[in-house]
Short mmCIF file of all heavy atoms in Angstrom, two decimals:
data_model
loop_
_atom_site.label_atom_id
_atom_site.label_comp_id
_atom_site.label_asym_id
_atom_site.label_seq_id
_atom_site.Cartn_x
_atom_site.Cartn_y
_atom_site.Cartn_z
N TRP A 1414 65.28 -35.53 50.62
CA TRP A 1414 65.90 -34.23 50.36
C TRP A 1414 66.01 -33.97 48.86
O TRP A 1414 66.25 -34.90 48.08
CB TRP A 1414 67.27 -34.15 51.01
CG TRP A 1414 67.26 -34.31 52.49
CD1 TRP A 1414 66.17 -34.49 53.29
CD2 TRP A 1414 68.39 -34.33 53.37
NE1 TRP A 1414 66.53 -34.62 54.61
CE2 TRP A 1414 67.91 -34.52 54.68
CE3 TRP A 1414 69.76 -34.21 53.18
CZ2 TRP A 1414 68.74 -34.59 55.79
CZ3 TRP A 1414 70.59 -34.28 54.29
CH2 TRP A 1414 70.10 -34.46 55.57
N TYR A 1537 82.30 -22.52 42.70
CA TYR A 1537 83.54 -22.37 41.93
C TYR A 1537 83.90 -23.68 41.23
O TYR A 1537 84.44 -23.67 40.13
CB TYR A 1537 84.67 -21.95 42.88
CG TYR A 1537 85.99 -21.68 42.21
CD1 TYR A 1537 86.26 -20.44 41.63
CD2 TYR A 1537 86.98 -22.66 42.16
CE1 TYR A 1537 87.48 -20.19 41.01
CE2 TYR A 1537 88.20 -22.42 41.55
CZ TYR A 1537 88.45 -21.18 40.98
OH TYR A 1537 89.66 -20.94 40.38
N ASP A 1609 104.17 -24.12 47.38
CA ASP A 1609 103.02 -23.40 47.91
C ASP A 1609 102.15 -24.30 48.77
O ASP A 1609 100.92 -24.31 48.65
CB ASP A 1609 102.20 -22.79 46.76
CG ASP A 1609 101.28 -21.68 47.24
OD1 ASP A 1609 101.48 -21.17 48.36
OD2 ASP A 1609 100.34 -21.33 46.50
#
Side-chain angles (χ1 to χ4, degrees):
W1414 299 359
Y1537 183 84
D1609 198 17

